[in-house]
Amino acid sequence: KILVLRDAEVILPLAGMIDLEAEKTRLQKEIELSQTNISRIESKLQNEQFVSRAPAPVIEKERSSLAEAKDKLKRLQNQLQELG
C-alpha cells in the first residue's frame, strides 16, 4: 500500500530500528550542509551588485530558498535534539 503525503510530517518510533549514532552523524552532516547553503544565499543577498543587477524574480527565488533552507535547518536541529 502506498501513501503519498504533501507538506506533512510523519513520526515513527525508530528505537531499535536504526543505528542512533549513525543517524546523529548523518543529521550533523545535513546540518552543516544546510548552514553552508544558508551562508551562501545570505552572502548573495547581501551583495549589493547582485541585488541591484538581478531581476526581481531571481531575488525573490533566492529569498524563498533562504526561508526554505532555514526551515530545513530548524527541522534537522530538532531531529538531532530529539535523538539526544
Side-chain angles (χ1 to χ4, degrees):
K1 190 171 190 178
I2 296 175
L3 178 63
V4 178
L5 301 173
R6 186 176 301 250
D7 298 323
E9 270 187 50
V10 177
I11 299 173
L12 300 173
L14 299 177
M17 297 178 71
I18 62 168
D19 179 346
L20 289 180
E21 289 307 313
E23 183 62 10
K24 287 179 185 180
T25 300
R26 184 192 73 76
L27 287 171
Q28 188 59 47
K29 186 175 178 180
E30 283 287 323
I31 287 169
E32 290 169 8
L33 289 172
S34 290
Q35 289 170 331
T36 300
N37 189 37
I38 288 169
S39 293
R40 181 188 58 78
I41 297 169
E42 286 177 335
S43 292
K44 193 183 286 188
L45 289 172
Q46 291 171 358
N47 182 330
E48 290 181 29
Q49 288 183 349
F50 172 76
V51 174
S52 66
R53 294 181 182 177
V58 172
I59 300 295
E60 188 55 38
K61 181 180 176 192
E62 290 298 323
R63 288 183 178 141
S64 177
S65 294
L66 180 59
E68 289 173 14
K70 285 182 176 182
D71 181 60
K72 179 180 178 180
L73 176 61
K74 185 177 178 180
R75 286 185 283 116
L76 289 168
Q77 290 170 329
N78 287 340
Q79 288 175 356
L80 183 60
Q81 186 177 14
E82 287 174 7
L83 290 179

